[in-house]
Amino acid sequence: MTTLRQAAEDYLSLRRALGFKLHDVGSALVSFLAFCESEGATVVTTDRASRWAVSADASPTRAAWRLHVVRDFAVHHQASDPRTEIPPKDLSSYRHHRKNPYLYSDEEVGRLLRAAQELPPGKGLRHRTYATLLGLLAATGLRVGEALALDGADVDGQAVMLVVRQSKFRKSRLVPIHPSTLDRLQQYQQERDRIYPAPKTSAFFVSERGRRLPYGTVQGVFRRLREQLCLRGSSTSRRPRIHDLRHRFAVNTLIRWYREGADVERCLPRLSTYLGHGRCEHTYWYLTAVPELLCLATERLEQRSQP
């Protein structure tokens, strides 16, 4: 094992201990180290990082991300190897631009849930699982991974809330839910326990084999439902994603607050906490200026400006 490869493993271990998962970053660093070793290099240089970043016909977006990965590692590694060159931040001319998320209408969410309810039942649980899962994501704005990580004990019927454990950056939080959401979750739980009286997992949502639902499987089922319903984004937005239900929840929450006359600026930290964000700035990513939201915000501004 080369010194550079050992340093990369130590770097990844340290960051993972701090709560970062780094699945893609780890794979990218392994690729970069293989590139260095193919050239007999034991030192990180700007030139080498640049050539690796654009190798394999990487897109501008991918190349910029690759440079970012090497730069973070180089900053860490330079302390133990002064020969290390740190690629400049402006080495890539590419700048990331946020694409508009797809904001599902109430009618589209209803169609999505009905389509999930019509999935081939298998043992009789599959359609219930996906309809309940998608309904929960729409009603709470949970990350998909958070919903899939829920255990049966994490659905607290007494307190009417969910316990989200060790989520992004290893943070846990309590997520209050509407009584109607709890009712649907408990209905699913009863059906699940009827079909699998001796569960193979503690997971709340289970597959037809009685095991925790894999993330990739859920994404695949969602894509099939999306194509079946012919859901399409505009030319300026990406194709509808399951994660866009989280965007929809954030935007609809602000619209509701404006309608209720709430002080949205003071309420925003509550939304950040509910979504599991460490800072309000992270929540801004989920706020899209849809016409209704802009209209409500403008009306509020005009009311404040009146003498």
Side-chain angles (χ1 to χ4, degrees), residues 1 19 43 58 78 96 130 140 146 148 150 209 258 266:
M1 179 178 294
V43 178
Q78 192 182 57
H96 178 70
Y130 283 97
T140 63
E146 292 173 342
L148 298 182
L150 288 173
R209 295 183 178 181
Y258 272 115
R266 294 187 63 182

Side-chain angles (χ1 to χ4, degrees), residues 96-103 232-241 244 288-289:
H96 178 70
H97 298 284
R98 176 184 181 271
K99 294 183 179 179
N100 293 330
Y102 186 86
L103 297 181
R232 298 286 188 273
S234 67
S235 59
T236 59
S237 66
R238 67 185 77 192
R239 300 181 74 182
R241 304 167 302 159
D244 287 330
T288 302

Side-chain angles (χ1 to χ4, degrees), residues 291-304:
E292 184 177 5
L293 182 58
L294 285 176
C295 183
L296 290 169
T298 300
E299 290 177 0
R300 178 69 61 83
L301 183 61
E302 290 175 348
Q303 292 172 2
R304 289 183 177 179

